[in-house]
Amino acid sequence: MNKNLSEHDYSEEELFEFLIKQVNDKREDFSIFAIRELKHFNFPKSIELLVEIVNKESNIRKKEEAIKSLKVKQQNRFIKQAILQQISSSAERVRSEAAELLKEYGESLAPELQNLTLEDLPKFALSKGIWLLGQIGDSSTIEFFNSNKVFSKKEMQESIEDAVISIKSRNVKLLLDDIKKKEKK
């Protein structure tokens, strides 16, 4: 009658419920393990819980792991909005993880990210937003940089120049246009 626990086959739902309980474990390593493992479950509740951790958790390691777990999920607007807010995080590791995930959205993210960079952001957040625009942007992003006075500040010029180089390196037409301009001079 007493079945050995090692012989018990747990259902996906049982494992998921166990992980949900472990997310709030006082032992940080247990909690982080649970957050990492949530990426393997395709239940809507797993995405909701990971996004909640990203939005509300004060522990940087937990927030960072939640973002990593969201990377493997089907990208959607709900995840994008939560992660986009993390570009303003005071923790560099969180900003970097958020930017890496947001790269998955490609050029479709550019308008929202451009709007974000026009807000009154701390320099570190603005720099990360500019870097990300360099990773996903196109010629319209270069025009955006040139047309907004926010980006004329000397302190942001190096970041903008790097972003423009990144955009041009992915777009042969823009590179050729640059070569033609230099030849005319």
PDB file of all heavy atoms in Angstrom, residues 55-85:
ATOM      1  N   ASN A  55       7.474  42.471 -12.668  1.00  0.00           N
ATOM      2  CA  ASN A  55       6.886  43.761 -12.309  1.00  0.00           C
ATOM      3  C   ASN A  55       7.026  44.127 -10.840  1.00  0.00           C
ATOM      4  O   ASN A  55       7.166  45.303 -10.512  1.00  0.00           O
ATOM      5  CB  ASN A  55       5.399  43.784 -12.674  1.00  0.00           C
ATOM      6  CG  ASN A  55       5.173  43.907 -14.155  1.00  0.00           C
ATOM      7  OD1 ASN A  55       5.995  44.433 -14.888  1.00  0.00           O
ATOM      8  ND2 ASN A  55       4.049  43.394 -14.624  1.00  0.00           N
ATOM      9  N   LYS A  56       6.983  43.135  -9.951  1.00  0.00           N
ATOM     10  CA  LYS A  56       6.854  43.460  -8.526  1.00  0.00           C
ATOM     11  C   LYS A  56       7.997  43.016  -7.635  1.00  0.00           C
ATOM     12  O   LYS A  56       8.122  43.509  -6.518  1.00  0.00           O
ATOM     13  CB  LYS A  56       5.555  42.846  -7.989  1.00  0.00           C
ATOM     14  CG  LYS A  56       4.323  43.427  -8.653  1.00  0.00           C
ATOM     15  CD  LYS A  56       3.062  42.816  -8.128  1.00  0.00           C
ATOM     16  CE  LYS A  56       1.840  43.424  -8.819  1.00  0.00           C
ATOM     17  NZ  LYS A  56       0.617  42.767  -8.432  1.00  0.00           N
ATOM     18  N   GLU A  57       8.802  42.089  -8.083  1.00  0.00           N
ATOM     19  CA  GLU A  57       9.860  41.535  -7.233  1.00  0.00           C
ATOM     20  C   GLU A  57      10.976  42.548  -7.013  1.00  0.00           C
ATOM     21  O   GLU A  57      11.416  43.214  -7.948  1.00  0.00           O
ATOM     22  CB  GLU A  57      10.427  40.263  -7.881  1.00  0.00           C
ATOM     23  CG  GLU A  57      11.488  39.571  -7.084  1.00  0.00           C
ATOM     24  CD  GLU A  57      11.036  39.114  -5.712  1.00  0.00           C
ATOM     25  OE1 GLU A  57      10.029  38.390  -5.627  1.00  0.00           O
ATOM     26  OE2 GLU A  57      11.697  39.491  -4.721  1.00  0.00           O
ATOM     27  N   SER A  58      11.440  42.644  -5.776  1.00  0.00           N
ATOM     28  CA  SER A  58      12.542  43.559  -5.473  1.00  0.00           C
ATOM     29  C   SER A  58      13.893  42.838  -5.552  1.00  0.00           C
ATOM     30  O   SER A  58      14.920  43.480  -5.740  1.00  0.00           O
ATOM     31  CB  SER A  58      12.361  44.179  -4.090  1.00  0.00           C
ATOM     32  OG  SER A  58      12.323  43.159  -3.106  1.00  0.00           O
ATOM     33  N   ASN A  59      13.881  41.530  -5.443  1.00  0.00           N
ATOM     34  CA  ASN A  59      15.109  40.752  -5.528  1.00  0.00           C
ATOM     35  C   ASN A  59      15.567  40.715  -6.990  1.00  0.00           C
ATOM     36  O   ASN A  59      14.882  40.186  -7.862  1.00  0.00           O
ATOM     37  CB  ASN A  59      14.857  39.332  -5.001  1.00  0.00           C
ATOM     38  CG  ASN A  59      16.103  38.475  -5.015  1.00  0.00           C
ATOM     39  OD1 ASN A  59      16.772  38.343  -6.043  1.00  0.00           O
ATOM     40  ND2 ASN A  59      16.392  37.872  -3.877  1.00  0.00           N
ATOM     41  N   ILE A  60      16.730  41.287  -7.253  1.00  0.00           N
ATOM     42  CA  ILE A  60      17.249  41.424  -8.612  1.00  0.00           C
ATOM     43  C   ILE A  60      17.472  40.060  -9.263  1.00  0.00           C
ATOM     44  O   ILE A  60      17.156  39.868 -10.437  1.00  0.00           O
ATOM     45  CB  ILE A  60      18.569  42.243  -8.617  1.00  0.00           C
ATOM     46  CG1 ILE A  60      18.340  43.641  -8.052  1.00  0.00           C
ATOM     47  CG2 ILE A  60      19.186  42.297 -10.006  1.00  0.00           C
ATOM     48  CD1 ILE A  60      17.305  44.448  -8.770  1.00  0.00           C
ATOM     49  N   ARG A  61      18.022  39.103  -8.523  1.00  0.00           N
ATOM     50  CA  ARG A  61      18.281  37.769  -9.096  1.00  0.00           C
ATOM     51  C   ARG A  61      16.987  37.100  -9.537  1.00  0.00           C
ATOM     52  O   ARG A  61      16.936  36.478 -10.607  1.00  0.00           O
ATOM     53  CB  ARG A  61      19.007  36.878  -8.094  1.00  0.00           C
ATOM     54  CG  ARG A  61      20.468  37.239  -7.925  1.00  0.00           C
ATOM     55  CD  ARG A  61      21.214  36.273  -7.024  1.00  0.00           C
ATOM     56  NE  ARG A  61      21.212  34.919  -7.581  1.00  0.00           N
ATOM     57  CZ  ARG A  61      21.277  33.826  -6.834  1.00  0.00           C
ATOM     58  NH1 ARG A  61      21.321  33.906  -5.508  1.00  0.00           N
ATOM     59  NH2 ARG A  61      21.291  32.629  -7.384  1.00  0.00           N
ATOM     60  N   LYS A  62      15.943  37.229  -8.732  1.00  0.00           N
ATOM     61  CA  LYS A  62      14.660  36.613  -9.092  1.00  0.00           C
ATOM     62  C   LYS A  62      14.072  37.286 -10.332  1.00  0.00           C
ATOM     63  O   LYS A  62      13.559  36.621 -11.235  1.00  0.00           O
ATOM     64  CB  LYS A  62      13.678  36.707  -7.924  1.00  0.00           C
ATOM     65  CG  LYS A  62      14.033  35.823  -6.755  1.00  0.00           C
ATOM     66  CD  LYS A  62      13.002  35.958  -5.648  1.00  0.00           C
ATOM     67  CE  LYS A  62      13.369  35.136  -4.438  1.00  0.00           C
ATOM     68  NZ  LYS A  62      12.326  35.249  -3.383  1.00  0.00           N
ATOM     69  N   LYS A  63      14.155  38.598 -10.360  1.00  0.00           N
ATOM     70  CA  LYS A  63      13.641  39.347 -11.506  1.00  0.00           C
ATOM     71  C   LYS A  63      14.401  38.961 -12.777  1.00  0.00           C
ATOM     72  O   LYS A  63      13.810  38.716 -13.822  1.00  0.00           O
ATOM     73  CB  LYS A  63      13.774  40.847 -11.235  1.00  0.00           C
ATOM     74  CG  LYS A  63      13.078  41.724 -12.231  1.00  0.00           C
ATOM     75  CD  LYS A  63      13.178  43.188 -11.841  1.00  0.00           C
ATOM     76  CE  LYS A  63      12.138  43.510 -10.820  1.00  0.00           C
ATOM     77  NZ  LYS A  63      11.609  44.864 -10.883  1.00  0.00           N
ATOM     78  N   GLU A  64      15.708  38.884 -12.674  1.00  0.00           N
ATOM     79  CA  GLU A  64      16.557  38.513 -13.808  1.00  0.00           C
ATOM     80  C   GLU A  64      16.204  37.101 -14.309  1.00  0.00           C
ATOM     81  O   GLU A  64      16.088  36.865 -15.512  1.00  0.00           O
ATOM     82  CB  GLU A  64      18.018  38.572 -13.362  1.00  0.00           C
ATOM     83  CG  GLU A  64      19.020  38.234 -14.410  1.00  0.00           C
ATOM     84  CD  GLU A  64      20.452  38.274 -13.860  1.00  0.00           C
ATOM     85  OE1 GLU A  64      20.663  38.415 -12.631  1.00  0.00           O
ATOM     86  OE2 GLU A  64      21.348  38.144 -14.686  1.00  0.00           O
ATOM     87  N   GLU A  65      16.027  36.163 -13.401  1.00  0.00           N
ATOM     88  CA  GLU A  65      15.688  34.786 -13.788  1.00  0.00           C
ATOM     89  C   GLU A  65      14.292  34.704 -14.410  1.00  0.00           C
ATOM     90  O   GLU A  65      14.063  33.919 -15.325  1.00  0.00           O
ATOM     91  CB  GLU A  65      15.792  33.839 -12.589  1.00  0.00           C
ATOM     92  CG  GLU A  65      17.208  33.623 -12.115  1.00  0.00           C
ATOM     93  CD  GLU A  65      18.166  33.106 -13.179  1.00  0.00           C
ATOM     94  OE1 GLU A  65      17.742  32.317 -14.060  1.00  0.00           O
ATOM     95  OE2 GLU A  65      19.345  33.487 -13.133  1.00  0.00           O
ATOM     96  N   ALA A  66      13.380  35.520 -13.923  1.00  0.00           N
ATOM     97  CA  ALA A  66      12.037  35.547 -14.512  1.00  0.00           C
ATOM     98  C   ALA A  66      12.100  36.033 -15.958  1.00  0.00           C
ATOM     99  O   ALA A  66      11.442  35.485 -16.843  1.00  0.00           O
ATOM    100  CB  ALA A  66      11.103  36.426 -13.680  1.00  0.00           C
ATOM    101  N   ILE A  67      12.918  37.041 -16.217  1.00  0.00           N
ATOM    102  CA  ILE A  67      13.087  37.542 -17.589  1.00  0.00           C
ATOM    103  C   ILE A  67      13.693  36.453 -18.466  1.00  0.00           C
ATOM    104  O   ILE A  67      13.234  36.211 -19.587  1.00  0.00           O
ATOM    105  CB  ILE A  67      13.936  38.827 -17.617  1.00  0.00           C
ATOM    106  CG1 ILE A  67      13.185  39.971 -16.922  1.00  0.00           C
ATOM    107  CG2 ILE A  67      14.290  39.208 -19.054  1.00  0.00           C
ATOM    108  CD1 ILE A  67      14.017  41.213 -16.673  1.00  0.00           C
ATOM    109  N   LYS A  68      14.701  35.757 -17.953  1.00  0.00           N
ATOM    110  CA  LYS A  68      15.317  34.663 -18.718  1.00  0.00           C
ATOM    111  C   LYS A  68      14.287  33.581 -19.031  1.00  0.00           C
ATOM    112  O   LYS A  68      14.280  33.029 -20.135  1.00  0.00           O
ATOM    113  CB  LYS A  68      16.487  34.062 -17.935  1.00  0.00           C
ATOM    114  CG  LYS A  68      17.703  34.941 -17.881  1.00  0.00           C
ATOM    115  CD  LYS A  68      18.795  34.270 -17.054  1.00  0.00           C
ATOM    116  CE  LYS A  68      20.013  35.153 -16.909  1.00  0.00           C
ATOM    117  NZ  LYS A  68      21.052  34.527 -16.072  1.00  0.00           N
ATOM    118  N   SER A  69      13.444  33.264 -18.074  1.00  0.00           N
ATOM    119  CA  SER A  69      12.416  32.240 -18.301  1.00  0.00           C
ATOM    120  C   SER A  69      11.391  32.705 -19.329  1.00  0.00           C
ATOM    121  O   SER A  69      10.869  31.898 -20.098  1.00  0.00           O
ATOM    122  CB  SER A  69      11.714  31.877 -16.987  1.00  0.00           C
ATOM    123  OG  SER A  69      12.599  31.150 -16.162  1.00  0.00           O
ATOM    124  N   LEU A  70      11.107  33.991 -19.346  1.00  0.00           N
ATOM    125  CA  LEU A  70      10.154  34.517 -20.333  1.00  0.00           C
ATOM    126  C   LEU A  70      10.723  34.496 -21.749  1.00  0.00           C
ATOM    127  O   LEU A  70       9.969  34.502 -22.720  1.00  0.00           O
ATOM    128  CB  LEU A  70       9.729  35.937 -19.955  1.00  0.00           C
ATOM    129  CG  LEU A  70       8.728  36.030 -18.813  1.00  0.00           C
ATOM    130  CD1 LEU A  70       8.597  37.465 -18.325  1.00  0.00           C
ATOM    131  CD2 LEU A  70       7.372  35.478 -19.221  1.00  0.00           C
ATOM    132  N   LYS A  71      12.043  34.446 -21.877  1.00  0.00           N
ATOM    133  CA  LYS A  71      12.661  34.413 -23.209  1.00  0.00           C
ATOM    134  C   LYS A  71      12.206  33.206 -24.018  1.00  0.00           C
ATOM    135  O   LYS A  71      12.138  33.284 -25.241  1.00  0.00           O
ATOM    136  CB  LYS A  71      14.185  34.378 -23.104  1.00  0.00           C
ATOM    137  CG  LYS A  71      14.823  35.692 -22.836  1.00  0.00           C
ATOM    138  CD  LYS A  71      16.337  35.520 -22.837  1.00  0.00           C
ATOM    139  CE  LYS A  71      17.030  36.778 -22.425  1.00  0.00           C
ATOM    140  NZ  LYS A  71      18.477  36.593 -22.343  1.00  0.00           N
ATOM    141  N   VAL A  72      11.934  32.110 -23.367  1.00  0.00           N
ATOM    142  CA  VAL A  72      11.571  30.891 -24.099  1.00  0.00           C
ATOM    143  C   VAL A  72      10.072  30.800 -24.377  1.00  0.00           C
ATOM    144  O   VAL A  72       9.627  29.901 -25.080  1.00  0.00           O
ATOM    145  CB  VAL A  72      12.054  29.611 -23.371  1.00  0.00           C
ATOM    146  CG1 VAL A  72      13.554  29.625 -23.194  1.00  0.00           C
ATOM    147  CG2 VAL A  72      11.342  29.431 -22.044  1.00  0.00           C
ATOM    148  N   LYS A  73       9.319  31.720 -23.843  1.00  0.00           N
ATOM    149  CA  LYS A  73       7.871  31.728 -24.050  1.00  0.00           C
ATOM    150  C   LYS A  73       7.532  32.381 -25.384  1.00  0.00           C
ATOM    151  O   LYS A  73       8.291  33.186 -25.915  1.00  0.00           O
ATOM    152  CB  LYS A  73       7.155  32.491 -22.922  1.00  0.00           C
ATOM    153  CG  LYS A  73       7.394  31.923 -21.540  1.00  0.00           C
ATOM    154  CD  LYS A  73       6.710  30.600 -21.382  1.00  0.00           C
ATOM    155  CE  LYS A  73       6.813  30.097 -19.952  1.00  0.00           C
ATOM    156  NZ  LYS A  73       6.264  28.770 -19.825  1.00  0.00           N
ATOM    157  N   GLN A  74       6.368  32.045 -25.910  1.00  0.00           N
ATOM    158  CA  GLN A  74       5.863  32.705 -27.125  1.00  0.00           C
ATOM    159  C   GLN A  74       5.699  34.189 -26.813  1.00  0.00           C
ATOM    160  O   GLN A  74       4.975  34.558 -25.898  1.00  0.00           O
ATOM    161  CB  GLN A  74       4.512  32.089 -27.517  1.00  0.00           C
ATOM    162  CG  GLN A  74       3.849  32.725 -28.709  1.00  0.00           C
ATOM    163  CD  GLN A  74       4.562  32.375 -30.000  1.00  0.00           C
ATOM    164  OE1 GLN A  74       5.119  31.313 -30.141  1.00  0.00           O
ATOM    165  NE2 GLN A  74       4.549  33.302 -30.940  1.00  0.00           N
ATOM    166  N   GLN A  75       6.403  35.027 -27.564  1.00  0.00           N
ATOM    167  CA  GLN A  75       6.376  36.461 -27.280  1.00  0.00           C
ATOM    168  C   GLN A  75       5.000  37.050 -27.606  1.00  0.00           C
ATOM    169  O   GLN A  75       4.408  36.717 -28.623  1.00  0.00           O
ATOM    170  CB  GLN A  75       7.465  37.174 -28.072  1.00  0.00           C
ATOM    171  CG  GLN A  75       8.862  36.645 -27.781  1.00  0.00           C
ATOM    172  CD  GLN A  75       9.224  36.637 -26.308  1.00  0.00           C
ATOM    173  OE1 GLN A  75       9.008  37.610 -25.602  1.00  0.00           O
ATOM    174  NE2 GLN A  75       9.747  35.525 -25.829  1.00  0.00           N
ATOM    175  N   ASN A  76       4.538  37.899 -26.725  1.00  0.00           N
ATOM    176  CA  ASN A  76       3.237  38.554 -26.919  1.00  0.00           C
ATOM    177  C   ASN A  76       3.268  39.947 -26.297  1.00  0.00           C
ATOM    178  O   ASN A  76       4.240  40.342 -25.666  1.00  0.00           O
ATOM    179  CB  ASN A  76       2.103  37.696 -26.330  1.00  0.00           C
ATOM    180  CG  ASN A  76       2.235  37.499 -24.829  1.00  0.00           C
ATOM    181  OD1 ASN A  76       2.489  38.431 -24.085  1.00  0.00           O
ATOM    182  ND2 ASN A  76       2.065  36.268 -24.381  1.00  0.00           N
ATOM    183  N   ARG A  77       2.204  40.678 -26.480  1.00  0.00           N
ATOM    184  CA  ARG A  77       2.113  42.062 -26.016  1.00  0.00           C
ATOM    185  C   ARG A  77       2.204  42.172 -24.482  1.00  0.00           C
ATOM    186  O   ARG A  77       2.797  43.097 -23.954  1.00  0.00           O
ATOM    187  CB  ARG A  77       0.801  42.671 -26.513  1.00  0.00           C
ATOM    188  CG  ARG A  77       0.679  44.140 -26.232  1.00  0.00           C
ATOM    189  CD  ARG A  77      -0.137  44.808 -27.337  1.00  0.00           C
ATOM    190  NE  ARG A  77      -0.071  46.224 -27.284  1.00  0.00           N
ATOM    191  CZ  ARG A  77       0.958  46.966 -27.682  1.00  0.00           C
ATOM    192  NH1 ARG A  77       2.017  46.399 -28.173  1.00  0.00           N
ATOM    193  NH2 ARG A  77       0.935  48.277 -27.602  1.00  0.00           N
ATOM    194  N   PHE A  78       1.622  41.217 -23.793  1.00  0.00           N
ATOM    195  CA  PHE A  78       1.633  41.195 -22.327  1.00  0.00           C
ATOM    196  C   PHE A  78       3.077  41.121 -21.813  1.00  0.00           C
ATOM    197  O   PHE A  78       3.482  41.903 -20.941  1.00  0.00           O
ATOM    198  CB  PHE A  78       0.813  39.984 -21.848  1.00  0.00           C
ATOM    199  CG  PHE A  78       0.692  39.835 -20.370  1.00  0.00           C
ATOM    200  CD1 PHE A  78       0.101  40.814 -19.589  1.00  0.00           C
ATOM    201  CD2 PHE A  78       1.142  38.682 -19.746  1.00  0.00           C
ATOM    202  CE1 PHE A  78      -0.039  40.661 -18.218  1.00  0.00           C
ATOM    203  CE2 PHE A  78       1.018  38.515 -18.381  1.00  0.00           C
ATOM    204  CZ  PHE A  78       0.426  39.506 -17.617  1.00  0.00           C
ATOM    205  N   ILE A  79       3.854  40.225 -22.374  1.00  0.00           N
ATOM    206  CA  ILE A  79       5.254  40.083 -21.981  1.00  0.00           C
ATOM    207  C   ILE A  79       6.031  41.332 -22.402  1.00  0.00           C
ATOM    208  O   ILE A  79       6.813  41.883 -21.617  1.00  0.00           O
ATOM    209  CB  ILE A  79       5.878  38.819 -22.612  1.00  0.00           C
ATOM    210  CG1 ILE A  79       5.234  37.559 -22.024  1.00  0.00           C
ATOM    211  CG2 ILE A  79       7.388  38.799 -22.418  1.00  0.00           C
ATOM    212  CD1 ILE A  79       5.650  36.262 -22.711  1.00  0.00           C
ATOM    213  N   LYS A  80       5.799  41.787 -23.632  1.00  0.00           N
ATOM    214  CA  LYS A  80       6.542  42.944 -24.151  1.00  0.00           C
ATOM    215  C   LYS A  80       6.373  44.163 -23.252  1.00  0.00           C
ATOM    216  O   LYS A  80       7.352  44.840 -22.933  1.00  0.00           O
ATOM    217  CB  LYS A  80       6.090  43.267 -25.570  1.00  0.00           C
ATOM    218  CG  LYS A  80       6.792  44.480 -26.150  1.00  0.00           C
ATOM    219  CD  LYS A  80       6.505  44.706 -27.619  1.00  0.00           C
ATOM    220  CE  LYS A  80       5.084  44.989 -27.907  1.00  0.00           C
ATOM    221  NZ  LYS A  80       4.828  45.422 -29.289  1.00  0.00           N
ATOM    222  N   GLN A  81       5.163  44.459 -22.835  1.00  0.00           N
ATOM    223  CA  GLN A  81       4.933  45.647 -22.003  1.00  0.00           C
ATOM    224  C   GLN A  81       5.642  45.541 -20.660  1.00  0.00           C
ATOM    225  O   GLN A  81       6.215  46.519 -20.177  1.00  0.00           O
ATOM    226  CB  GLN A  81       3.431  45.877 -21.801  1.00  0.00           C
ATOM    227  CG  GLN A  81       2.719  46.333 -23.049  1.00  0.00           C
ATOM    228  CD  GLN A  81       3.374  47.542 -23.693  1.00  0.00           C
ATOM    229  OE1 GLN A  81       3.721  48.513 -23.043  1.00  0.00           O
ATOM    230  NE2 GLN A  81       3.585  47.464 -24.996  1.00  0.00           N
ATOM    231  N   ALA A  82       5.616  44.355 -20.066  1.00  0.00           N
ATOM    232  CA  ALA A  82       6.293  44.167 -18.772  1.00  0.00           C
ATOM    233  C   ALA A  82       7.799  44.325 -18.915  1.00  0.00           C
ATOM    234  O   ALA A  82       8.456  44.972 -18.084  1.00  0.00           O
ATOM    235  CB  ALA A  82       5.954  42.791 -18.207  1.00  0.00           C
ATOM    236  N   ILE A  83       8.344  43.760 -19.974  1.00  0.00           N
ATOM    237  CA  ILE A  83       9.793  43.796 -20.158  1.00  0.00           C
ATOM    238  C   ILE A  83      10.256  45.183 -20.593  1.00  0.00           C
ATOM    239  O   ILE A  83      11.319  45.653 -20.179  1.00  0.00           O
ATOM    240  CB  ILE A  83      10.236  42.713 -21.167  1.00  0.00           C
ATOM    241  CG1 ILE A  83       9.807  41.317 -20.678  1.00  0.00           C
ATOM    242  CG2 ILE A  83      11.737  42.765 -21.396  1.00  0.00           C
ATOM    243  CD1 ILE A  83      10.333  40.920 -19.325  1.00  0.00           C
ATOM    244  N   LEU A  84       9.477  45.859 -21.411  1.00  0.00           N
ATOM    245  CA  LEU A  84       9.833  47.204 -21.867  1.00  0.00           C
ATOM    246  C   LEU A  84      10.034  48.148 -20.679  1.00  0.00           C
ATOM    247  O   LEU A  84      10.941  48.986 -20.688  1.00  0.00           O
ATOM    248  CB  LEU A  84       8.748  47.735 -22.807  1.00  0.00           C
ATOM    249  CG  LEU A  84       9.075  48.953 -23.648  1.00  0.00           C
ATOM    250  CD1 LEU A  84      10.330  48.734 -24.477  1.00  0.00           C
ATOM    251  CD2 LEU A  84       7.916  49.289 -24.566  1.00  0.00           C
ATOM    252  N   GLN A  85       9.244  47.981 -19.650  1.00  0.00           N
ATOM    253  CA  GLN A  85       9.383  48.813 -18.448  1.00  0.00           C
ATOM    254  C   GLN A  85      10.721  48.578 -17.737  1.00  0.00           C
ATOM    255  O   GLN A  85      11.216  49.445 -17.028  1.00  0.00           O
ATOM    256  CB  GLN A  85       8.245  48.532 -17.477  1.00  0.00           C
ATOM    257  CG  GLN A  85       6.896  48.946 -17.990  1.00  0.00           C
ATOM    258  CD  GLN A  85       5.770  48.471 -17.076  1.00  0.00           C
ATOM    259  OE1 GLN A  85       5.995  48.153 -15.914  1.00  0.00           O
ATOM    260  NE2 GLN A  85       4.569  48.427 -17.607  1.00  0.00           N
TER     261      GLN A  85
END
